[in-house]
Amino acid sequence: MKKGILVVVSGFSGSGKGTIMKRLMSKYGKNYSLSVSATTRAPRPGEVHGVDYFYLSTDEFESMIQNDQLIEYAKYVKNYYGTPKAYVEEQLNAGKNVILEIEMQGAIKVKKKYPETILLFVTAPSAEEVKKRLIGRNTESMDVIDARMQRAYEESFGLDDYDYLVINDELDECVECVNDIIMSERAQDTAKNESHRVSANIDFINNIRKELLSYSKGV
Ligand code: 5GP
C-alpha cells in the first residue's frame, strides 16, 4: 500500500488553526488522521484528555522523552509539547495522510527526520487580527498574550522553511484551500497551488512581520 503523506500545520497563536483543523476533520476526516500531542500545559475549559491533547505532568513528559516515544518535542511559552511516535507511524503505514498541528521548532525537527513532510503555515490576515483573536478567545492572561505576540514575531523569521502559506480570512475558504493543497501533494499534482507557496507571498510576510514587531512591543 502507498504510504500516506505527513503534513505539518503551524501558525501564529491566534491564527485560527485549531478551528481550521476541527472543520477540516469534520468535512474531510476520511482523508486524514490528526495526531494528538502530549503537553504539560493545563487543559482549557472544554478541552478533553486524549482528544485535544494528552495532558501530562512534567515527569510523565520527560519519561516519554527518555523512552524515545516522541518524534519531536519543544518548549513553547513555558510548557512542553510533543508528538507521540507510535500513532503517526502506524497511520502512515496504513496509507493515511497524517496531520501534525505543531509549532515551528517541532516542524523543523519533523522535516529533518522525515524529509518528504509538507510544511504549511496558517496566519490571520494581519497582526491586529492575530491579537484580536487571542483576546477574543478569553483563555489567556494579558502576559501570556504578549508572550505569544512576541513569539509570533520571532516565528515570522522562520517562514522560509515552510512550503505553503494560507491566509485565514474566511474559514470555509481556508479549509478548502488546506484540503486542496494536501490532496494535490498526495496526487503529486501541485500546479494550481503555486500562489500559496511561501515564495509567492514574500511581500505579505515582510508586512505582517513589521506589524507583529509593533504589536509585540505592546502597541
Ligand atoms: P496551545 O497551547 O495554543 O494549544 O499550543 C501552543 C503551540 O504549541 C501551538 O503553536 C501548537 O501548534 C503547538 N503544539 C501543539 N502540539 C505540539 C507538539 O506536539 N509539538 C510541538 N512542537 N508543538 C506543538
Side-chain angles (χ1 to χ4, degrees):
M1 184 189 298
K2 198 175 169 205
K3 258 194 154 188
I5 59 172
L6 187 55
V7 182
V8 166
V9 177
S10 307
F12 302 132
S13 188
S15 60
K17 63 186 182 309
T19 315
I20 296 167
M21 287 303 110
K22 285 207 173 84
R23 185 73 66 93
L24 184 75
M25 292 309 286
S26 72
K27 218 169 161 190
Y28 297 111
K30 64 177 190 326
N31 296 341
Y32 307 111
S33 297
L34 185 61
S35 160
V36 178
S37 294
T39 184
T40 56
R41 101 153 151 67
R44 296 189 186 122
E47 287 185 344
V48 178
H49 181 79
V51 176
D52 297 285
Y53 283 103
F54 297 104
Y55 299 94
L56 306 182
S57 66
T58 303
D59 281 354
E60 288 168 330
F61 197 100
E62 287 175 347
S63 112
M64 285 192 85
I65 299 173
Q66 258 128 45
N67 294 321
D68 195 27
Q69 290 171 315
L70 299 173
I71 291 180
E72 61 72 40
Y73 67 94
K75 263 208 162 157
Y76 177 93
V77 191
K78 296 193 184 139
N79 282 298
Y80 277 129
Y81 294 81
T83 307
K85 195 191 277 181
Y87 177 80
V88 171
E89 295 197 334
E90 170 196 301
Q91 295 297 309
L92 286 175
N93 288 331
K96 293 275 196 169
N97 304 312
V98 178
I99 301 185
L100 311 181
E101 190 214 309
I102 66 177
E103 56 67 68
M104 196 166 262
Q105 305 165 75
I108 307 304
K109 290 183 204 157
V110 172
K111 182 92 183 181
K112 280 217 178 97
K113 269 197 186 160
Y114 303 85
E116 309 286 294
T117 306
I118 307 302
L119 301 187
L120 198 149
F121 198 89
V122 179
T123 172
S126 66
E128 184 185 6
E129 189 63 28
V130 169
K131 187 153 189 180
K132 225 194 248 166
R133 288 182 192 175
L134 275 176
I135 293 173
R137 189 154 84 182
N138 223 355
T139 51
E140 261 88 23
S141 66
M142 217 49 214
D143 278 359
V144 173
I145 290 177
D146 285 342
R148 286 181 174 230
M149 289 303 288
Q150 171 67 34
R151 182 62 177 247
Y153 171 64
E154 289 158 18
E155 286 181 341
S156 72
F157 290 93
L159 290 178
D160 291 350
D161 292 320
Y162 280 70
D163 300 296
Y164 293 102
L165 181 77
V166 178
I167 300 169
N168 179 18
D169 201 351
E170 207 282 313
L171 179 64
D172 280 314
E173 262 174 44
C174 181
V175 168
E176 291 305 314
C177 180
V178 170
N179 184 58
D180 273 358
I181 290 173
I182 303 174
M183 288 297 112
S184 335
E185 282 284 348
R186 171 91 199 224
Q188 295 182 312
D189 175 17
T190 59
K192 69 176 176 177
N193 294 317
E194 291 307 308
S195 65
H196 293 290
R197 291 261 175 211
V198 164
S199 52
N201 287 282
I202 300 299
D203 288 348
F204 176 89
I205 292 168
N206 287 336
N207 201 36
I208 201 163
R209 176 180 302 141
K210 270 191 220 138
E211 291 177 9
L212 284 165
L213 176 62
S214 56
Y215 276 90
S216 68
K217 283 180 179 157
V219 174

